[in-house]
């Protein structure tokens, strides 16, 4: 703790959460408890369904398995502490706990971003170069994509946390958020945040925008390829394989862009709601989006539940 006090005058932070009104705490607790249980159960069902069905042992479902696991880890980093704070009068988190939560929150968020990019590349190869799909998206390349996604995300997270750790917090320890995130902590600091903001606007921007650009380029090339298909049925079949992924991309990147691509001074309660969307809500909806619109996943889930596919 001595090392911590050298860089900060606070030993803990207070997380205000989504609402400071006492009458809101129990309803919010019930809501987020249900969302957390649905997220964990739903994503583990997706993982088990894919692992138990030999027909789902493809690159797309390999990435979906990892995405579901990341979603469970992602929400577990955030929601349990939220649930405790909903029922606590003193909504505190230790300095070390705050830094740890922020590290894993950023690492899992960026890993999910790069996995969505890898899945976009997978769809591009499947639609635009189907004859070489197995060769291009080989197990070795899929694993390398996963290792790259995790490595770049954890290094990026470590850099940002180390930069936050060098700041001073003198005037207040109250974080206007339900988790330890970069923007609320930067607003709270009483020392210069110039280096932090410079890194966020350069390295951080590159790290976040690169997978998003991969997604955009992949879908533009998919669109060009699909428009060349003469039959309407062929076009519909090609687009249907991308529908679930596009929904997740829109939900995830849309809310992230709203939160992080605006000036620090404009940070408000709306940003907290947007953060709920790309953290808790998108993780909860992931199993529904990928199972309700996917015949293969429906078959895998029926098989897992002991029912014969219809």
């Amino acid at each position: 703790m001595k090392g911590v006090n050298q860089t900060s005058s606070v030993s803990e932070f207070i997380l205000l959460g989504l609402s400071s009104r006492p009458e809101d705490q129990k309803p919010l607790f019930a809501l987020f408890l249900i969302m957390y249980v649905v997220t964990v159960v739903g994503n583990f069902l997706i993982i088990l369904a894919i692992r138990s069905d030999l027909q789902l042992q493809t690159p797309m479902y390999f990435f979906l398995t990892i995405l579901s696991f990341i979603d469970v880890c992602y929400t577990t980093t955030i929601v349990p502490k939220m649930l405790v704070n909903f029922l606590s009068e003193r909504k505190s988190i230790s300095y070390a706990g705050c830094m740890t939560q922020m590290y894993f929150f950023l690492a899992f968020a960026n890993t999910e971003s790069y996995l969505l990019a890898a899945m976009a590349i997978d769809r591009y190869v499947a639609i635009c170069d189907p004859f070489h799909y197995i060769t291009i998206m080989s197990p070795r390349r899929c694993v390398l994509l996963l290792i790259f996604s995790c490595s770049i995300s954890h290094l990026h997270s470590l850099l940002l946390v180390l930069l936050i750790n060098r700041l001073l917090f003198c005037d207040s320890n109250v974080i206007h958020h339900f988790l330890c995130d970069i923007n609320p902590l930067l607003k709270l600091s009483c020392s210069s945040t110039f280096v932090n903001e410079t890194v966020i606007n350069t390295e951080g921007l590159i790290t976040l925008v690169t997978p998003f650009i991969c997604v955009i380029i992949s879908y533009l090339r998919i669109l060009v390829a699909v428009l060349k298909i003469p039959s309407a049925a062929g076009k519909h079949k090609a687009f249907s394989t991308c529908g679930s992924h596009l929904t997740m991309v829109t939900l995830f990147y849309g809310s992230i862009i709203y939160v992080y691509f605006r000036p620090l001074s404009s940070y408000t309660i709306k940003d907290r709601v947007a953060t709920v969307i790309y953290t808790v809500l998108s993780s909860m909806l992931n199993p529904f989006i990928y199972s309700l619109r996917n015949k293969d996943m429906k078959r895998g889930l029926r098989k897992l539940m002991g029912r014969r596919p219809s």
Side-chain angles (χ1 to χ4, degrees):
M1 185 60 70
K2 185 177 179 181
V4 169
N5 288 335
Q6 289 175 348
T7 57
S8 172
S9 58
V10 299
S11 59
E12 65 177 17
F13 293 103
I14 305 298
L15 294 168
L16 284 187
L18 289 171
S19 172
S20 57
R21 292 168 28 174
E23 62 270 24
D24 292 340
Q25 303 309 303
K26 288 184 179 178
L28 284 171
F29 173 85
L31 174 64
F32 279 88
L33 177 61
I34 292 169
M35 291 174 72
Y36 181 60
V37 171
V38 171
T39 299
V40 173
V41 173
N43 281 288
F44 272 124
L45 282 175
I46 291 289
I47 294 169
L48 292 172
I50 292 171
R51 300 306 301 168
S52 63
D53 192 337
L54 291 175
Q55 294 183 44
L56 297 180
Q57 305 304 306
T58 64
M60 182 178 77
Y61 292 108
F62 167 76
F63 289 122
L64 181 55
T65 301
I66 305 301
L67 184 68
S68 294
F69 178 72
I70 292 295
D71 278 335
V72 172
C73 296
Y74 197 18
T75 50
T76 301
T77 302
I78 302 164
V79 179
K81 184 60 181 174
M82 287 179 70
L83 295 176
V84 171
N85 285 347
F86 283 139
L87 301 181
S88 302
E89 290 187 13
R90 185 171 174 78
K91 307 175 188 300
S92 62
I93 183 170
S94 68
Y95 184 91
C98 185
M99 295 299 109
T100 302
Q101 185 190 60
M102 184 166 62
Y103 171 81
F104 285 106
F105 160 67
L106 293 172
F108 289 134
N110 278 284
T111 302
E112 180 149 342
S113 177
Y114 277 88
L115 283 174
L116 288 172
M119 294 171 79
I121 293 170
D122 172 81
R123 291 299 81 210
Y124 160 70
V125 176
I127 293 171
C128 299
D129 196 3
F131 296 110
H132 297 98
Y133 176 71
I134 296 175
T135 306
I136 296 172
M137 299 303 295
S138 65
R140 180 176 175 273
R141 282 185 178 154
C142 289
V143 171
L144 286 174
L145 277 171
L146 174 61
I147 292 172
F148 173 79
S149 300
C150 293
S151 299
I152 196 73
S153 300
H154 281 270
L155 288 172
H156 168 70
S157 178
L158 180 63
L159 173 63
L160 293 182
V161 170
L162 288 174
L163 288 173
I164 288 287
N165 194 53
R166 59 183 284 278
L167 298 177
L168 291 171
F169 301 95
C170 318
D171 302 325
S172 173
N173 68 336
V174 178
I175 299 175
H176 293 265
H177 211 331
F178 59 84
L179 56 81
C180 292
D181 198 4
I182 297 172
N183 286 346
L185 284 168
L186 291 180
K187 288 189 73 174
L188 202 62
S189 175
C190 58
S191 57
S192 172
T193 59
F194 175 76
V195 174
N196 300 70
E197 292 184 52
T198 301
V199 170
I200 289 169
N201 292 327
T202 52
E203 185 273 344
L205 196 63
I206 293 169
T207 304
L208 182 62
V209 169
T210 299
F212 182 64
I213 291 174
C214 284
V215 171
I216 296 297
I217 293 173
S218 295
Y219 274 106
L220 284 175
R221 299 193 70 171
I222 287 171
L223 180 63
V224 171
V226 170
L227 290 176
K228 292 179 181 178
I229 299 174
S231 68
K235 290 178 182 177
H236 180 267
K237 184 179 179 181
F239 277 129
S240 66
T241 64
C242 305
S244 300
H245 182 256
L246 265 176
T247 305
M248 284 300 299
V249 165
T250 304
L251 197 64
F252 184 80
Y253 282 111
S255 50
I256 280 185
I257 289 169
Y258 178 83
V259 173
Y260 294 106
F261 281 62
R262 297 190 304 135
L264 184 61
S265 58
S266 64
Y267 194 83
T268 64
I269 182 66
K270 292 180 180 179
D271 296 84
R272 285 183 249 174
V273 176
T275 304
V276 170
I277 293 174
Y278 81 81
T279 54
V280 184
L281 188 63
S282 65
S283 297
M284 184 188 74
L285 293 178
N286 176 37
F288 297 100
I289 292 171
Y290 277 100
S291 60
L292 294 177
R293 301 188 62 178
N294 189 310
K295 291 180 180 179
D296 293 333
M297 276 306 308
K298 286 180 181 178
R299 187 194 66 246
L301 287 168
R302 290 194 194 102
K303 185 177 179 180
L304 181 67
M305 299 298 182
R307 292 170 53 189
R308 294 182 64 185
S310 55

